[in-house]
Amino acid sequence: MRFLASLLALLLVPLLAAALLVAAALQAAPLVSREATISPASVAEARGLLARNDPRQLRRGDERTALIPATLIDEALNHLASRNLRGRGAFVLVHDAAEVSFSVAAPGVPGPRYLNLRMLLKTVDGLPRVASASIGALPIPSALAEWLIASAIDHSGLDGDWRLARQAFRRLLFASPSGMVVVSYVWDPGLLDRARAMVFSPPQMVRIEAAQRSLVSLLESYPPRSHVPLATILAPLLARSAEHAPAQDRAALLVLAAYLSERSLSTLLPQASGWPRPRQVNLTLMGRSDSAQHFAISAALAAWAGEPAANAIGVYKEIDDSRGGSGFSFGDLAADRAGTRFGELVAADSPRLQHALRSGLGDADVAPSLAGLPEYLSEAEFKRRYGGTGSAAYRRLMTEIEGRLDALPLYR
């Protein structure tokens, strides 16, 4: 009997230890609690950062230093955590270090329980190192944290990409007074090739080429420069096989967005330079070519990058237009939101969308009426009427747009 008791104790000790570790790791409240949004200001920062470090203007071996706003990294990290982990993330500079935090709801655990991860990064000889880390109330040795990060990179199949990035990387500095992360690097064109390969796998390239050829075929039946309702193109373009259905639809939206933005796909995918090009016709939505463009680009963004990115880019574009372009347009924002919600249905492989595609689509099925929505507002006029995008007046108008969308059966 004593032997059995001792054996039972030996078996229970590791189980109790594991239970205590789980209890210490899980917490009742999230460490990071925020909305899964991207601000128009971050879109502007990202655009400026890309313009200053345009890979098309760099040659192999060029040495560059990029100043990356910590707020941009923070929103990008939160977006990735929201989209890929169904959690939240945060990045903040603390003196000469950076704190990275994640919160993910623990699945299958009674009550609200969160897995909270916190890491403090410092630079050693110009390289980022883990100074401290914890999961919940459980501290993790720095060496173990770095081993876990290396193992995650290895198991994700990104070890080759990581090695290439490390070879290009020279020095990193957390400049908290300026709110910047300073990255010095030596350009290697292989970085851009690897980035494309990460986003566009060989099967995806096959789907994108197939979608391009489908668009070419669809538009051949219309006279050049003729006006063609966008809705009449959407359904046949999104026709697909049962296998890989959402992925094929995403490819179709990407091709359509590139066509309507009047940018060649070869700018993004060099292989596309040898593909046939669609005939130039004037695709319209609610009788307007600009609405078709806004709808298609937002749909592709939502399907590929998610709703927050699509919304932020749409608002940023209107703010930018108010400063010297065609002016701020709530009509354009309505087309953006319609495209975003359409792209979300595509990404979710919505049965409601598939039924609508089989039944036939018209403009009024995919976009709301634009009647009465203020347009062509200069920056001064926009500020006079609405103050900014956070004002009550602005929110009321956006609520009206959402209400018009909610009234459409496709978006209910």
Side-chain angles (χ1 to χ4, degrees), residues 12 108 127 135 197 228 230 241 244 267 316 328 332 339 349 353 355 389 409:
L12 286 175
L127 298 175
I135 297 180
V228 180
L230 177 65
S241 62
H244 305 308
T267 304
Y316 164 76
F328 194 104
D332 287 348
D349 197 21
L353 174 61
H355 174 74
T389 56

Side-chain angles (χ1 to χ4, degrees), residues 130-293:
V130 178
S132 63
S134 63
I135 297 180
L138 185 66
I140 303 174
S142 299
L144 176 59
E146 293 197 348
W147 178 82
L148 290 172
I149 293 171
S151 297
I153 292 172
D154 182 53
H155 286 294
S156 65
L158 300 176
D159 50 324
D161 306 282
W162 178 247
R163 283 195 299 271
L164 184 61
R166 286 293 298 269
Q167 291 171 4
F169 181 82
R170 287 296 179 267
R171 186 171 179 271
L172 178 116
L173 174 66
F174 297 122
S176 54
S178 63
M180 296 287 180
V181 175
V182 184
V183 179
S184 298
Y185 64 96
V186 175
W187 178 247
D188 183 340
L191 289 168
L192 188 57
D193 294 335
R194 294 297 294 179
R196 284 197 188 99
M198 288 173 62
V199 178
F200 303 107
S201 65
Q204 285 173 322
M205 290 299 300
V206 171
R207 296 181 195 115
I208 293 170
E209 182 178 359
Q212 175 83 348
R213 294 183 181 277
S214 293
L215 184 61
V216 169
S217 177
L218 284 168
L219 297 183
E220 277 182 349
S221 59
Y222 297 97
R225 305 295 176 182
S226 59
H227 288 67
V228 180
L230 177 65
T232 63
I233 298 297
L234 273 176
L237 187 63
L238 294 181
R240 73 277 170 92
S241 62
E243 188 180 6
H244 305 308
Q248 188 61 55
D249 285 353
R250 289 170 64 230
L253 289 180
L254 177 65
V255 165
L256 188 62
Y259 175 76
L260 279 166
S261 65
E262 300 180 351
R263 299 289 180 89
S264 171
L265 266 177
S266 60
T267 304
L268 180 65
L269 305 171
Q271 303 95 313
S273 60
W275 299 351
R277 294 193 175 187
R279 172 173 292 172
Q280 288 301 310
V281 302
N282 187 14
L283 293 179
T284 63
L285 180 62
M286 312 298 283
R288 294 172 48 159
S289 57
D290 59 340
S291 293
Q293 184 182 67

Side-chain angles (χ1 to χ4, degrees), residues 50 52 57 81 106 115 185 189 216 225 267 307 322 343 369 376 412:
L50 181 60
R52 293 188 297 272
Q57 307 300 323
L115 190 66
Y185 64 96
V216 169
R225 305 295 176 182
T267 304
E307 178 188 8
S322 74
S369 167
Y376 315 118
R412 287 175 186 165

Side-chain angles (χ1 to χ4, degrees), residues 382-404:
F382 175 80
K383 288 182 177 179
R384 187 186 70 80
R385 290 197 198 181
Y386 304 101
T389 56
S391 71
Y394 179 88
R395 289 197 300 270
R396 280 196 298 271
L397 203 43
M398 293 305 297
T399 299
E400 179 182 337
I401 289 172
E402 293 301 319
R404 294 186 186 190

